[in-house]
Amino acid sequence: MSMTNKLYALLLASVIALGFTACSSDDPDGPTIFPVDEAQNLDQLDTWLLKNYTYPYNVEFQYKWKFIETDNKKTLVPADSAKSAKLAIIVKYLWFDAYNEVIGQSFLKENTPRQIVLIGSPGYENNGTMVLGTAEGGYKVTLYMVNNLTDDALRDYDYLEQYYFTTLHHEFTHILNQKKPYDSEFDKISAGDYVSVNWYQVPAATALKQGFIRNYAMVEPREDFAETMAQYITNSDETWESKLTQAGATGRAIILKKLNFIRDYMKDSWNLDLDALHNAVQHRGQELDKLDLEHLN
């Protein structure tokens, strides 16, 4: 199985898919695994990223073009630095600060991907799909389409959730699952209903009625686990309830059974309150309009 997975927007089917793989353990060693040459010329954004990502979390937030870090099979363009700065502020606020609020900095430093890489454009595949994000072995997450971010999009929580934050939370769930596997009893909840590579042919409404929060969750149990958790964390209460309503009595019961399983896993394995994390992300999402995106403080 490939160690690189992708978030697609299917142009013909108008379906967004989130694909990830189980991730290797990359525990930090020492103060930072990204030593900085103090002699290099660092601009204001570089210095801010070191202060807010590298030093506290051992994460390299990379927005400057590095050919070796990109997929050379695709035609890609660098990320705009001004838009990268704004997205970096939002990622810290909606993801890092939300986890920090609930469980603390050490948890993130030990478990987050070591690199977040920004690309300006989407990546296109030969089969008519557009790649929005990739995750590689738990070490690196790449986010695309940065140059498409408008001022309105940067204040639109639903847009950011769909194109960026479901990716981040889904991948992070895989990392946690590899370090501390969940009970295989989860795999039995929807046994027989997974459709592997044909997931995109299942309408979203059908997936919900079968007990899957999104059709991509029908790939296999581990994707079901990660997608259910990511959707619960990032969906507003109204959106989540709307999906459960669409699922009907049978689908609702299955989805909630999966969510309760995930809730217990996060508490027992990581001492993380999933509902508190959901609430932290949601209250931050509602306050996006108050976030200063113009200044690197």
Side-chain angles (χ1 to χ4, degrees), residues 42-57 59 61 63 81 84-94 96-97 118 291-297:
L42 301 178
D43 61 22
Q44 185 180 11
L45 177 54
D46 294 328
T47 301
W48 186 90
L49 291 172
L50 287 173
K51 177 182 176 182
N52 289 276
Y53 283 94
T54 306
Y55 295 150
Y57 300 112
V59 172
F61 198 103
Y63 70 97
S81 60
S84 295
K86 293 177 180 181
L87 184 57
I89 293 171
I90 293 172
V91 169
K92 177 181 180 295
Y93 181 73
L94 279 181
F96 283 80
D97 289 353
L118 302 187
L291 194 61
D292 182 0
L293 301 181
E294 303 301 326
H295 304 91
L296 294 170
N297 299 318

Side-chain angles (χ1 to χ4, degrees), residues 22-276:
C23 311
S24 62
S25 174
D26 296 294
D27 292 332
D29 182 16
T32 174
I33 60 173
F34 300 106
V36 177
D37 181 359
E38 299 297 342
Q40 65 181 298
N41 294 321
L42 301 178
D43 61 22
Q44 185 180 11
L45 177 54
D46 294 328
T47 301
W48 186 90
L49 291 172
L50 287 173
K51 177 182 176 182
N52 289 276
Y53 283 94
T54 306
Y55 295 150
Y57 300 112
N58 257 337
V59 172
E60 179 186 32
F61 198 103
Q62 182 182 304
Y63 70 97
K64 293 181 178 177
W65 186 262
K66 291 185 180 180
F67 181 77
I68 194 172
E69 298 289 357
T70 63
D71 186 345
N72 57 23
K73 297 178 182 179
K74 296 181 177 63
T75 301
L76 303 171
V77 302
D80 177 86
S81 60
K83 294 181 178 182
S84 295
K86 293 177 180 181
L87 184 57
I89 293 171
I90 293 172
V91 169
K92 177 181 180 295
Y93 181 73
L94 279 181
W95 192 38
F96 283 80
D97 289 353
Y99 271 99
N100 207 3
E101 176 183 327
V102 175
I103 196 169
Q105 181 175 313
S106 295
F107 172 80
L108 288 170
K109 186 172 183 177
E110 292 169 4
N111 297 300
T112 52
R114 303 271 69 90
Q115 285 183 306
I116 298 174
V117 179
L118 302 187
I119 301 294
S121 59
Y124 292 94
E125 300 281 28
N126 294 328
N127 61 1
T129 61
M130 182 172 65
V131 180
L132 300 178
T134 64
E136 301 176 21
Y139 180 82
K140 177 172 72 174
V141 173
T142 302
L143 301 176
Y144 294 79
M145 287 182 60
V146 173
N147 294 353
N148 287 34
L149 286 168
T150 64
D151 288 341
D152 287 341
L154 288 163
R155 298 294 185 182
D156 185 342
Y157 174 77
D158 291 337
Y159 179 91
L160 295 170
E161 171 205 351
Q162 183 179 29
Y163 288 94
Y164 299 102
F165 289 95
T166 300
T167 307
L168 292 169
H169 286 288
H170 184 120
E171 169 61 7
F172 193 34
T173 302
H174 279 315
I175 294 174
L176 299 178
N177 286 167
Q178 174 157 340
K179 292 188 172 185
K180 296 183 180 181
Y182 62 81
D183 192 322
S184 60
E185 287 296 312
F186 178 91
D187 299 359
K188 300 177 182 179
I189 299 175
S190 288
D193 291 331
Y194 294 101
V195 296
S196 187
V197 296
N198 296 319
W199 63 269
Y200 63 90
Q201 297 178 347
V202 181
T206 301
L208 284 167
K209 292 183 184 300
Q210 289 187 245
F212 296 93
I213 197 62
R214 199 164 69 87
N215 52 0
Y216 182 72
M218 301 182 77
V219 171
E220 61 180 348
R222 67 191 183 96
E223 299 300 340
D224 193 5
F225 190 107
E227 189 62 16
T228 303
M229 178 166 165
Q231 291 288 328
Y232 177 68
I233 292 170
T234 59
N235 285 181
S236 67
D237 292 336
E238 293 76 17
T239 298
W240 182 260
E241 181 57 34
S242 174
K243 291 179 179 179
L244 293 181
T245 299
Q246 294 175 60
T250 299
R252 173 190 284 266
I254 295 171
I255 292 170
L256 290 180
K257 183 176 182 179
K258 292 174 182 176
L259 181 62
N260 285 332
F261 198 105
I262 295 168
R263 185 181 283 118
D264 290 343
Y265 163 81
M266 294 305 297
K267 186 64 176 178
D268 296 342
S269 297
W270 298 100
N271 196 31
L272 190 151
D273 186 326
L274 187 63
D275 298 312

